[in-house]
């Protein structure tokens, strides 16, 4: 079973990603050759690859063509702006850091603008109340939601309070969670 899953992963990589990697590496090699900065290109790319994982987020477009355009633009201008290797051996490090920092800031600003989906597992009480009001929950259902998702009251206790079967409480909680989390 593992071999099938591994084979499917490899097949997916070859079909969907390998061509992109080959294209990017080829274009970087072409830029380096045309700009006569082969060593600088290697230094910049290595610095970028080493520094990028140190930041917990980076801008990434979900569209392949935009992602490739951005990647190639970064590579081109990074190589172009690198000082000649006989002038500075380490200039590619702060340059790569600057590029990665800009990518981090861009993604951070996008994250601030993008509304996060409501989640009963991570919401605060005020967020839950606002969501219940938006969905026009009754006061009783809002109080029940607070018991379920904020206070984490045991279902057996709620069943006793409502004088109903615990299975009914489980079903009600499941439906309420689904309705609250559904966007």
């Amino acid at each position: 079973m593992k071999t099938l899953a591994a084979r499917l992963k490899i097949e997916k990589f070859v079909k969907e990603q390998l061509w992109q990697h080959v294209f990017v590496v080829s274009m970087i090699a072409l830029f380096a050759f045309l700009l006569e900065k082969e060593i600088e290109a290697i230094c910049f790319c290595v610095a970028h690859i080493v520094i990028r994982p140190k930041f917990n987020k980076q801008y990434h477009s979900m569209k392949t063509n935009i992602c490739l355009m951005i990647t190639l633009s970064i590579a081109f201008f990074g190589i172009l702006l690198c000082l000649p290797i006989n002038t500075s051996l380490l200039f590619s490090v702060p340059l790569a850091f600057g590029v990665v920092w800009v990518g981090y800031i861009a993604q951070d600003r996008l994250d601030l603008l993008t509304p996060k989906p409501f989640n009963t597992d991570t919401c605060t009480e005020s967020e839950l109340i606002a969501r219940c009001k938006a969905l026009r929950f009754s006061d009783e259902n809002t109080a029940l939601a607070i018991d379920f998702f904020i206070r984490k009251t045991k279902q057996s206790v709620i069943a006793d309070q409502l004088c109903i079967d615990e299975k009914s409480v489980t079903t009600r909680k499941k439906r309420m969670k689904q309705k609250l989390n559904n966007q």
Side-chain angles (χ1 to χ4, degrees), residues 13 16 19 23 29 35-36 38 44 46 54 56 81 85 90 97 101 131 138 146 158 160 165-166:
F13 172 77
E16 296 177 16
W19 73 269
F23 179 69
L35 297 170
E36 297 178 358
E38 294 85 358
F44 175 75
V46 168
K54 305 298 182 206
N56 62 350
L81 294 173
I85 204 73
L90 298 176
F97 182 85
W101 182 76
R131 180 75 174 155
S138 66
I146 292 168
I158 293 173
D160 289 343
D165 187 44
E166 196 171 333

Side-chain angles (χ1 to χ4, degrees), residues 79-92:
I79 295 167
L80 182 67
L81 294 173
C82 267
L83 292 176
I85 204 73
N86 56 4
T87 304
S88 174
L89 179 64
L90 298 176
F91 182 73
S92 59

Side-chain angles (χ1 to χ4, degrees), residues 54-102:
K54 305 298 182 206
F55 287 74
N56 62 350
K57 55 180 142 181
Q58 281 294 301
Y59 176 76
H60 180 72
S61 176
M62 298 310 284
K63 295 183 177 184
T64 304
N65 58 346
I66 293 173
C67 185
L68 286 172
M69 259 185 8
I70 291 170
T71 301
L72 294 176
S73 297
I74 288 170
F76 178 77
F77 289 109
I79 295 167
L80 182 67
L81 294 173
C82 267
L83 292 176
I85 204 73
N86 56 4
T87 304
S88 174
L89 179 64
L90 298 176
F91 182 73
S92 59
V93 174
L95 182 61
F97 182 85
V99 168
V100 172
W101 182 76
V102 168

Side-chain angles (χ1 to χ4, degrees), residues 2-129:
K2 285 185 180 181
T3 57
L4 177 62
R7 199 173 89 217
L8 289 174
K9 268 187 169 179
I10 291 170
E11 190 175 305
K12 182 178 178 183
F13 172 77
V14 169
K15 284 182 180 177
E16 296 177 16
Q17 295 178 348
L18 184 61
W19 73 269
Q20 296 171 25
H21 294 292
V22 169
F23 179 69
V24 169
V25 169
S26 301
M27 292 304 293
I28 290 172
L30 179 65
F31 295 156
F33 176 75
L34 293 175
L35 297 170
E36 297 178 358
K37 291 186 170 188
E38 294 85 358
I39 296 171
E40 293 86 346
I42 292 168
C43 291
F44 175 75
C45 290
V46 168
H48 186 76
I49 289 168
V50 170
I51 293 170
R52 189 171 184 205
K54 305 298 182 206
F55 287 74
N56 62 350
K57 55 180 142 181
Q58 281 294 301
Y59 176 76
H60 180 72
S61 176
M62 298 310 284
K63 295 183 177 184
T64 304
N65 58 346
I66 293 173
C67 185
L68 286 172
M69 259 185 8
I70 291 170
T71 301
L72 294 176
S73 297
I74 288 170
F76 178 77
F77 289 109
I79 295 167
L80 182 67
L81 294 173
C82 267
L83 292 176
I85 204 73
N86 56 4
T87 304
S88 174
L89 179 64
L90 298 176
F91 182 73
S92 59
V93 174
L95 182 61
F97 182 85
V99 168
V100 172
W101 182 76
V102 168
Y104 172 82
I105 296 298
Q107 187 60 50
D108 188 57
R109 295 307 173 257
L110 281 174
D111 289 347
L112 291 175
L113 296 173
T114 307
K116 292 181 177 55
F118 183 84
N119 188 334
T120 54
D121 297 329
T122 58
C123 68
T124 64
E125 185 171 345
S126 59
E127 291 170 338
L128 180 62
I129 292 170

